[in-house]
Amino acid sequence: MPLSAFDSTASIEDEINQKILSVSEDRLQGFIADPFKEIAHLTNLPLALVLERIRLMFSAGTIRRIRLTLLANDLAPGALVAWKIPENSLHEAFDFLFQKDPFSGHVVIRSTDPAAAGARYRLWSTLKVPQGFSIQTHCELLKNLIGAEDYRIMPAKGIFTLGVGHIRRKTILPGTKSPKAAVMHPVAIKTLSEKQWLVLKSLKEELTLEEIDEGLWEKRASKIGMSSQAFFSIAKELEQIGILGRFSTFLEHVKPLYDGRKVTKFNALFHWAVPQGMEREAGGQIGRFEILTHCYWREAGSEFKNVNIMAVAHGKDKGLLESHKKAIDEHLESVGIPVSYTNIFWGGRSEIKPSEIFPEAYKEWLQKMDLDSSVISNS
């Protein structure tokens, strides 16, 4: 359908759509038997209207994908990777990670003050490598494939905040925070049974337009030859293990939508270096701030002045995001958490896709790239 065929009922500015998106982006945690009914319940809107609007927004590209997210750091060794790439190869390397590496998820070209620590690391990507394979070796392979001069692997040691709700965060004022500190989710690889992997793979798949309807998971269960009862039982097991994230309608971050509007314009990666031993406390305090979509404990190393807490915020106003950062800095000072270094890396060109986490996908990629699987070993 041509984009001109969509009217305001597919727009992020529509009042009903905003009400739906404020819930559907990041309020549906864990496994929910009928997620669209839950959205209707939480918004107090008729189910038929919720389904109609989500279908319209999905068809128009306002919603770019719909799926149940996973806490994939607990399923596959993962990290944020900063790449030092020659400037004339930057976009070519970006294209490779986005188009040809199914294990790289978010790929972003970032910039900061040229004099800042790590300023030459312009290309940033999230990476998951399936269990049984080596993230270090994968980065070495990518280094040669994209012509990187160097890279820095920064695994997540703990997660404090994870949930992208752009519409809900549009009106959040600097300093807005939850009454309690964020609780850290320690990252630890989980071992799953064959049936659990089978259900997980079904849960992870992106929805098609036809699947935006009641009975989503019953149909998925039937597709893999499993009863609804067994499927739901295993899904609940996965939720209890702590590896299911949220059922979410994802919006474009910075690309113009069909009507020319943008959901966000700026993407800020905040860095803080706090004393060793205070990472959990600092992350808990930073993770309280509602503007943040992500907050992690990651060790960046000496090249980044030993930054160990990172967080991400999105918005349309750069100055406003800086005010949010200032409010966090002032709060850290007020609660007695010293910061030896802090900085912001601003996002430019970006693409987002889910990372593959299944071992068979990795074997297929090695074969496709004509790489010897014997050189890949778990580390």
Side-chain angles (χ1 to χ4, degrees):
M1 188 180 293
L3 294 183
S4 58
F6 297 104
D7 59 21
S8 63
T9 55
S11 171
I12 57 170
E13 300 300 323
D14 179 88
E15 187 177 345
I16 292 173
N17 291 348
Q18 289 193 357
K19 196 172 184 180
I20 291 169
L21 292 168
S22 66
V23 169
S24 67
E25 278 195 274
D26 70 343
R27 288 306 201 196
L28 305 179
Q29 297 296 320
F31 177 76
I32 296 173
D34 205 321
F36 298 111
K37 277 187 179 178
E38 184 67 7
I39 295 169
H41 169 68
L42 293 174
T43 57
N44 199 28
L45 293 171
L47 175 60
L49 179 60
V50 168
L51 291 170
E52 176 193 2
R53 291 304 184 88
I54 291 177
R55 287 171 187 148
L56 275 169
M57 287 189 281
F58 187 72
S59 297
T62 304
I63 293 173
R64 59 184 168 87
R65 63 170 58 96
I66 305 172
R67 71 183 187 96
L68 177 63
T69 67
L70 310 177
L71 292 178
N73 283 291
D74 285 354
L75 292 168
L80 179 66
V81 185
W83 301 92
K84 187 188 289 185
I85 306 282
E87 199 67 25
N88 61 359
S89 304
L90 193 57
H91 287 277
E92 186 178 351
F94 178 104
D95 290 338
F96 185 95
L97 294 184
F98 175 61
Q99 296 171 5
K100 297 184 179 179
D101 181 32
F103 313 100
S104 294
H106 297 204
V107 185
V108 187
I109 293 176
R110 296 191 177 277
S111 59
T112 189
D113 183 333
R120 287 200 58 208
Y121 288 81
R122 297 279 320 280
L123 184 60
W124 295 67
S125 61
T126 57
L127 178 65
K128 305 285 189 307
V129 175
Q131 292 183 33
F133 299 95
S134 163
I135 196 167
Q136 178 71 51
T137 306
H138 190 76
C139 284
E140 279 296 313
L141 291 173
L142 290 179
K143 179 184 178 183
N144 294 327
L145 290 166
I146 66 177
E149 296 173 359
D150 201 2
Y151 59 87
R152 174 68 187 170
I153 300 173
M154 295 168 276
K157 291 190 171 184
I159 303 171
F160 301 94
T161 299
L162 184 59
V164 182
H166 295 307
I167 297 301
R168 182 171 59 80
R169 287 182 170 90
K170 282 171 66 175
T171 56
I172 289 176
L173 298 175
T176 304
K177 59 184 182 295
S178 63
K180 295 183 179 179
V183 177
M184 187 181 86
H185 171 82
V187 175
I189 298 298
K190 306 290 195 305
T191 301
L192 303 183
S193 69
E194 188 175 333
K195 281 190 176 180
Q196 286 173 331
W197 277 113
L198 179 65
V199 171
L200 190 73
K201 191 170 185 178
S202 180
L203 291 171
K204 182 179 182 287
E205 287 178 6
E206 293 180 22
L207 271 66
T208 63
L209 179 62
E210 293 72 27
E211 288 183 309
I212 303 173
D213 206 345
E214 297 179 73
L216 164 64
W217 300 127
E218 287 89 344
K219 293 168 187 172
R220 287 277 178 95
S222 176
K223 190 176 177 182
I224 61 172
M226 189 177 286
S227 71
S228 299
Q229 184 179 3
F231 187 96
F232 280 38
S233 176
I234 293 172
K236 281 297 180 182
E237 287 176 9
L238 296 171
E239 182 179 35
Q240 289 165 7
I241 290 169
I243 56 176
L244 299 187
R246 66 196 185 279
F247 184 86
S248 179
T249 57
F250 290 87
L251 302 176
E252 281 292 352
H253 280 45
V254 294
K255 288 181 180 178
L257 302 178
Y258 76 97
D259 56 3
R261 299 180 188 273
K262 290 185 177 182
V263 178
T264 66
K265 187 176 181 182
F266 295 99
N267 165 356
L269 175 62
F270 299 149
H271 282 183
W272 292 273
V274 303
Q276 188 175 2
M278 296 189 75
E279 297 92 347
R280 186 186 289 260
E281 182 183 355
Q285 292 298 328
I286 292 168
R288 292 174 63 180
F289 285 80
E290 294 185 15
I291 191 63
L292 301 176
T293 59
H294 303 72
C295 182
Y296 292 91
W297 171 4
R298 299 184 187 275
E299 301 286 349
S302 58
E303 201 148 7
F304 290 89
K305 292 200 173 180
N306 298 311
V307 161
N308 47 13
I309 304 294
M310 299 184 185
V312 177
H314 301 262
K316 287 190 173 183
D317 185 306
K318 187 176 183 180
L320 184 57
L321 285 176
E322 290 172 331
S323 295
H324 280 288
K325 169 70 163 50
K326 183 181 178 184
I328 298 172
D329 293 341
E330 290 173 349
H331 175 71
L332 291 175
E333 184 177 1
S334 74
V335 296
I337 296 176
V339 176
S340 60
Y341 176 77
T342 186
N343 189 28
I344 303 176
F345 273 78
W346 295 99
R349 184 185 177 195
S350 67
E351 291 285 358
I352 301 171
K353 67 182 190 299
S355 298
E356 283 288 355
I357 59 169
F358 297 96
E360 59 267 27
Y362 199 85
K363 294 171 186 175
E364 290 169 6
W365 181 78
L366 289 172
Q367 196 170 39
K368 182 178 179 181
M369 299 301 295
D370 198 25
L371 295 168
D372 184 359
S373 60
S374 66
V375 304
I376 311 294
S377 60
N378 194 15
S379 63

